[in-house]
Amino acid sequence: MAAHSRDSSPFLPSPTAPPLPQSLFFSSRSRSRFVMDMMNSPTSTSSSSSLPMVAREKRVSDRSTNRLTAVFEEVRIEGERSDQRLRELGYRNDFRRDMSRFGVLGISFCAIGILTGMSSAFQTGLFSGGPLGLFWGWNICSVFMLLIALALAEISSAYPTMGGLYFWTGWIYSISMVFTGTSGNLSVALYLASLAEVGRGRTLSRVEVAAIAWGVNIASGIINSIGTKAIGYMSAFNLWWTLGGTFVLVITLLVKAPVKNTADFVFTDYENFTGWSSRGFVVLLGFLQAVYTLEGCESAAQVAEEAQRAEQLVPLAVVWSVVGSWFIGLVYMLALLFSVQSIASVQGTSFAIPIAQLYYDAVGPRLTLMCLTVIALAQFMAAVTAFTASSRLFYALARDDAFPLKRQYMALNRFQAPYVGVWTSVVIGCVISCAYIGSTVAFNAILSSAAIAVMLGYLQPIIIRVFWPDSSLPERGPFSLGRYSWPINIASFLFTVFVCILFLLPTSHPTTVLNMNYSVVAIGAVVLFVGGCWTFWGRRHFTGPVKTY
C-alpha cells in the first residue's frame, strides 16, 4: 500500500495554507463564549474595548485560529521527526500516527492487565506457597520485571519499529502473542460462565464455554480491524477502568468481608497444595503467578509506527506500565489476602474460575456478579491488545520477507489495520479453543506455553545486549541506561533464564498424566515448528532487513 505522506495528510493543515475558518472548530455558542472569555482576559488591551464587536470578534477568531494552526503544525513536525528516524532505519511508514500519548501508555498497561492477570492466576500462588509466596514473590518478581522493562525500553528507544523483528524477536514471540490473546479470550468465557453459575445457578458445558470463547475471539478481531484509533481509545479507557475498578474491588472486599485476616496471616502464612515437600521450591512455584501477571509491558513497541515521538514515548510506556502495575497489583493482592475466607474452599471450588469462589465467600453473590463483571471487561480489553501485537508482528515479519504471503500480511484496510494478521490470529485462536472441548489438560498445556514463549521473546534481545553490548546498539535513543545498561541486562538475563526453567518443571507431586506440566511439550512443539519453517522456507527467502524507503 502506498505510504501516507505527513505533508499531504488531510488531517493536518499545510504550513502554506490560509488560516482555517473558526467555524470548523467551534459551534456558534462555543465561539461566543470563547470570544467573551478572550475579551475579559488580562491579555486584552485597553484599546480593544473601544473597538466594534465585529472587529474584536475577528481579532479573537484570528488569534484562536493561529493557535490551532500552531498545534497542528507541532503535531506535523513531531510526526516528521518520528518518520525520519524510521527512514534512517530503512523503513517507510505506511501508518498514520493516530495513537495518542495516553493510548500508547494504556496499551502496555492494558496488555499487562493487572486486574485480570492477578485474578486469573491468583490460585497458582495461593496453592503454591500461600500468602507468604504471593506477597514476597510479587515484590521480588516486580523488581526483576522492572529491570527487564528498562532493558527493553532502551532497545525500543533506539529502534522504534513496529514488531521490531531484529531488535526483539520473530516467530516465537508472534506465536506467543496469539496464544496470549487466545488464553485471555478463554478467560473471558470462563468469567462469563462463572457469572452464569453465580447469578443463575447454571453450569455451562465445555462446548458452551468454547462457543463463548469463539465469540470473544471474533469480537477481538472486529475491534482490531477498526484500527489504531479504536485500540488507542480502548487502551486509554482501560487504564481508567483498571484504576477505578481496582479501587471499587478493594473497597468492596475490605468493607464486606465478614472476617478480616491478620497481618501475620497475610505476610507469613505458608500453604502447600502441590505435594512437594521442599518449602523453598513450593514458594518459588508461587513466583510464576507474579511473572505471568506482569508480562506485556513491551506491547507499546508494537504500535511504535503509529505514535508520535515513539522513540521517547514507547520506552516510557514500557517502564511506567510495570511501575504502575507493581503498585496497583500490590494493593489489590493485599485486599484479596486480607479478605479470603477459606483457601480450602477456593481450592475445591466448582466455579469455572477459582477467584469467583473467593469473591463469593467474601462479598456474597450479588456483589460477586459486579466484581466479576469488572474483571471480565478488563480481561477482554487486555486480550484484544494481544491480537493487536500479533497482527503488527506479522506485518513486520512480512515486510522483511520473514513471513509468507508478504503482500497480504502488509495490506491495510481503510482503518489502517493489518487485517489479515488480525484475522489469522482470530482463526488460530478459535482452533485452539476447540481443544478445550476435548481436554482441559491439552488446552492448558498449549496456553501455558505462551508465558514461556513471552519470556523467551524477552531473552533473545537481552542475550545480544549482554554478549555484544557495543555492536548491538551502536546508536542510543533518547532513553538510555548509560553505564547501568550492562548490569541491568545481565540481571535481566539471569532472571529470565531462571524463570524459563522454572516454568517447565512439574508443579504437582506425584506427577501423573493428568497433573503433568505439559508446557515442555507445547514449547518444544513451537520451537520445532519455527525451526522447521526456517529450514524449509525461511532460509531461502529471508536475507535480512528489507529497505522500504
Side-chain angles (χ1 to χ4, degrees), residues 471-483:
S471 60
S472 62
L473 210 64
E475 182 179 350
R476 302 292 177 91
F479 185 94
S480 175
L481 300 176
R483 59 194 178 100

Side-chain angles (χ1 to χ4, degrees), residues 1 395 406-413 417-421:
M1 182 173 180
Y395 176 95
K406 176 176 181 174
R407 184 176 62 83
Q408 286 81 0
Y409 279 95
M410 287 188 67
L412 306 178
N413 63 14
Y419 61 96
V420 176

Side-chain angles (χ1 to χ4, degrees), residues 281-320:
F281 178 66
V282 171
V283 171
L284 286 177
L285 288 177
F287 282 21
L288 303 182
Q289 177 267 346
V291 174
Y292 171 79
T293 302
L294 289 167
E295 290 179 339
C297 67
E298 76 291 344
S299 296
Q302 270 74 66
V303 294
E305 295 177 32
E306 301 169 72
Q308 305 284 352
R309 304 305 299 270
E311 64 276 7
Q312 296 179 358
L313 186 58
V314 167
L316 292 177
V318 170
V319 173
W320 283 106

Side-chain angles (χ1 to χ4, degrees), residues 10 14 45 50 70 137 189 192 209 215 250 313 336 349 433 447 467 474 480 535:
S14 169
T45 62
S50 61
L192 294 177
V209 172
V250 168
L313 186 58
L336 291 171
T349 185
S433 298
L447 298 183
F467 293 101
S480 175
T535 301

